[in-house]
């Protein structure tokens, strides 16, 4: 049995990652990759990188094909597009980028450190209305909210 982190490590052998500053420089240079945020809709509605689209990880495969309720035409026809996959911390995006590569997308990378790293690099983050959210507010939104029962038990 593999742990989540072990699965991510294995997947990283196939998926290229870029750092937030690499994406920032690329956007500033005029490049227009498809920014694909694979977080859940509730997360996406709270905060996002400007210009990103939301396709939750759970419906990604159907979104890349015609004739599904989840079909996103821009993805179906975009197998040659430059795509940067985004999530909160950079783990779900690695899994999603791997799936896109397996489905024939040719220019896919994962944003290492995700929205969290983008915010740490002090890049713009907006809410669902497009209003800029300050870095400290985003830090609060990104804070872990683990309940006691979600924590690994301490040895007796």
């Amino acid at each position: 049995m593999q742990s989540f982190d072990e699965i991510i490590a294995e997947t990283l052998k196939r998926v290229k990652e870029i750092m937030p500053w690499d994406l920032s420089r690329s956007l500033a240079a005029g490049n227009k990759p498809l920014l694909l945020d694979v977080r859940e809709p509730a997360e996406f509605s709270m905060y996002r990188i400007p210009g990103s689209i939301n396709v939750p990880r759970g419906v990604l495969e159907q979104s890349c094909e015609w004739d599904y309720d989840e079909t996103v035409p821009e993805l179906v026809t975009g197998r040659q597009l430059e795509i940067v996959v985004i999530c909160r911390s950079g783990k779900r995006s690695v899994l999603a980028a791997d799936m896109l590569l397996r489905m024939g997308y040719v220019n896919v990378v994962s944003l290492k450190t995700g929205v969290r790293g983008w915010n740490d690099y002090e890049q713009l983050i907006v809410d669902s209305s497009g209003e800029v959210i300050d870095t400290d507010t985003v830090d609060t939104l990104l804070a872990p909210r683990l309940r006691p029962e979600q924590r690994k038990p301490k040895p007796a």
Side-chain angles (χ1 to χ4, degrees):
M1 181 177 92
Q2 289 183 300
S3 71
F4 181 58
D5 286 336
E6 289 169 336
I7 292 168
I8 297 297
E10 181 181 301
T11 305
L12 280 170
K13 295 174 185 174
R14 299 182 297 273
V15 172
K16 180 182 174 190
E17 293 181 292
I18 62 169
M19 296 302 291
W21 47 86
D22 297 321
L23 178 56
S24 177
R25 282 188 216 124
S26 177
L27 294 171
N31 293 328
K32 297 190 184 285
L34 176 63
L35 303 177
L36 178 62
D37 192 316
V38 295
R39 295 176 298 141
E40 294 300 309
E43 295 173 277
F44 186 75
S45 70
M46 285 190 290
Y47 55 91
R48 67 186 77 154
I49 296 174
S52 58
I53 65 167
N54 183 226
V55 177
R57 173 68 195 94
V59 297
L60 179 63
E61 294 83 358
Q62 298 96 317
S63 300
C64 295
E65 300 287 341
W66 292 115
D67 302 322
Y68 287 93
D69 289 343
E70 298 83 6
T71 297
V72 176
E74 188 174 11
L75 278 178
V76 178
T77 61
R79 283 180 164 71
Q80 302 301 316
L81 292 176
E82 178 184 358
I83 300 174
V84 178
V85 187
I86 302 161
C87 68
R88 185 177 59 137
S89 66
K91 292 185 178 183
R92 285 178 281 179
S93 59
V94 167
L95 297 174
D98 187 50
M99 182 55 66
L100 290 171
L101 290 167
R102 291 173 59 192
M103 293 182 76
Y105 290 80
V106 296
N107 193 3
V108 179
V109 297
S110 173
L111 181 62
K112 188 173 180 135
T113 69
V115 176
R116 178 174 284 147
W118 185 257
N119 188 59
D120 288 346
Y121 190 56
E122 299 183 355
Q123 298 300 296
L124 282 182
I125 295 194
V126 297
D127 62 18
S128 60
S129 66
E131 294 294 319
V132 174
I133 308 173
D134 68 85
T135 302
D136 292 335
T137 300
V138 176
D139 281 341
T140 301
L141 294 170
L142 288 167
R145 292 176 177 78
L146 290 175
R147 297 181 307 272
E149 67 270 16
Q150 292 176 303
R151 297 196 180 275
K152 183 176 181 178
K154 294 182 181 176

